[in-house]
Amino acid sequence: MRLRPLCIQCIIDSRFREIRGTSVGDDAKIKASIELLRIGFEEFKRGGELTVLATRIYHRLIDFFPAIIEYYKRVKRESIEEAFKYLPVIEEYLGKMSGFEKFVAATKISIIGNYLDTGVMELNPPSVKEILNYVNKPLAIDHTRKFYELVNRGDKMIIWLFDNAGEAILDIPLIKILRSMGNKVIGIAKEDPGFQNDLTINDALEAGLDKYVDELLSTGYPGSSIHWDKISDKAKTKIKEADIVVAKGMAHWEYIIEIDLGKPVYHLLVPKCSVIAETLGTKRGALVTLFRY
């Protein structure tokens, strides 16, 4: 996706938030903030696709100021722990349903996990308990039936592109349903140190997510999406072999709409800024399931 004026403010605001969230002293934070402005000036002038540009800025900043990596380790650990606390409640809720009704409910739970995002300007992520209240919210774009009819036959190889760390735990119920239908689910996480609070391969292994998928692997690259010239050959091969790609979150939407993966892509996301909402034709905060051929 191309850079928009508001994206500049959002990217820089998110980086400032990270700097403030670290446990170092004010002098170090001031130095990092000044360096961020320099990096931002250089990279915005350089230009490029939005998610690639955001990735470059983030990684240049953490190279200069690695305290951000430690900050996100804490943020992700807390988010994963909180999400796991509510997983039994979610399973009990879904256990009262069956068929397509259960599939839709599990899909919504997976989507609302996308609210657990620290990388959007003026968005303070709610708690898992708070977002679970959104489960009765209608889908603004609803392609759930198309996806259900395709996977309900089973025998599909599905790539699952994880997004935020806590969100990944709320993906578990839908992943379990997909596998129970006779499909194979390959989970793909970012390479460490990752991007913002996105799930990395080490986060996933520590959380035990390998128990819920048929295979778990890394992109081989710590960027915000599956930048095709950067990810590993193994990740590329798995994506090429797959029948369907499930892409969680905004960054995957922003990048994947610019490329052709040669297969159906099922986007599950919440547009948390006006720019993404505009590309989808929805309002901010909407729940979206969008199936692209």
Side-chain angles (χ1 to χ4, degrees):
M1 198 173 88
R2 68 179 177 84
L3 180 70
R4 312 288 178 86
L6 189 61
C7 300
I8 296 174
Q9 184 180 353
C10 182
I11 290 170
I12 296 299
D13 179 81
S14 298
R15 303 292 77 83
F16 276 134
R17 182 189 301 191
E18 294 158 357
I19 292 169
R20 292 194 304 270
T22 63
S23 58
V24 303
D26 285 350
D27 287 348
K29 289 179 180 178
I30 290 169
K31 287 180 182 178
S33 297
I34 294 170
E35 180 66 10
L36 168 61
L37 295 176
R38 187 182 71 81
I39 292 169
F41 175 74
E42 292 176 356
E43 292 295 345
F44 286 125
K45 281 188 67 178
R46 181 181 170 191
E49 190 275 327
L50 176 59
T51 64
V52 173
L53 175 57
T55 297
R56 292 200 311 257
I57 292 173
Y58 177 77
H59 282 282
R60 284 187 63 183
L61 180 61
I62 65 173
D63 285 345
F64 178 83
F65 191 60
I68 289 173
I69 299 173
E70 296 307 313
Y71 161 73
Y72 272 127
K73 284 181 180 178
R74 173 176 56 80
V75 168
K76 291 188 290 184
R77 183 176 62 252
E78 291 173 353
S79 183
I80 288 170
E81 288 174 354
E82 186 189 12
F84 264 126
K85 277 196 311 184
Y86 289 96
L87 197 57
V89 177
I90 292 168
E91 296 284 10
E92 182 180 0
Y93 168 75
L94 293 173
K96 300 172 184 176
M97 307 175 192
S98 61
F100 184 60
E101 179 190 21
K102 183 175 182 178
F103 188 86
V104 172
T107 298
K108 283 186 176 183
I109 287 166
S110 176
I111 295 170
I112 63 179
N114 197 225
Y115 281 106
L116 301 174
D117 191 349
T118 60
V120 180
M121 181 176 62
E122 298 178 352
L123 175 69
N124 292 312
S127 68
V128 175
K129 183 178 181 179
E130 288 170 331
I131 63 171
L132 289 177
N133 293 327
Y134 303 163
V135 74
N136 293 319
K137 190 173 180 177
L139 291 161
I141 300 176
D142 186 3
H143 293 176
T144 316
R145 177 65 73 174
K146 292 180 183 178
F147 186 55
Y148 179 78
E149 290 176 353
L150 186 58
V151 298
N152 193 38
R153 305 171 202 156
D155 200 31
K156 299 294 183 185
M157 178 178 166
I158 302 169
I159 293 292
W160 190 283
L161 299 178
F162 287 110
D163 191 35
N164 302 319
E167 172 184 358
I169 309 310
L170 301 188
D171 293 337
I172 290 173
L174 182 54
I175 290 172
K176 288 171 72 173
I177 291 172
L178 291 171
R179 294 180 73 199
S180 73
M181 292 172 166
N183 301 294
K184 183 178 182 181
V185 179
I186 312 296
I188 299 185
K190 312 291 172 59
E191 186 54 63
D192 287 272
F195 178 80
Q196 299 181 168
N197 67 326
D198 287 358
L199 184 82
T200 68
I201 188 66
N202 282 335
D203 297 327
L205 290 170
E206 288 175 10
L209 281 172
D210 53 315
K211 302 183 186 73
Y212 298 97
V213 293
D214 293 281
E215 187 177 350
L216 179 66
L217 65 143
S218 165
T219 57
Y221 162 68
S224 60
S225 187
I226 53 166
H227 301 143
W228 206 249
D229 61 334
K230 299 288 186 181
I231 63 173
S232 70
D233 289 341
K234 183 176 181 180
K236 285 181 185 176
T237 298
K238 288 293 182 182
I239 292 170
K240 288 176 182 177
E241 291 174 348
D243 298 299
I244 308 164
V245 171
V246 176
K248 295 294 306 290
M250 295 201 308
H252 286 318
W253 165 257
E254 292 163 21
Y255 179 69
I256 293 174
I257 59 172
E258 300 291 337
I259 62 174
D260 181 9
L261 292 179
K263 62 190 79 273
V265 181
Y266 190 49
H267 292 276
L268 302 180
L269 73 153
V270 176
K272 298 178 289 290
C273 72
S274 58
V275 171
I276 303 304
E278 181 184 331
T279 68
L280 289 160
T282 65
K283 295 181 180 180
R284 287 178 61 184
L287 305 185
V288 172
T289 69
L290 195 152
F291 198 44
R292 295 172 54 241
Y293 289 91

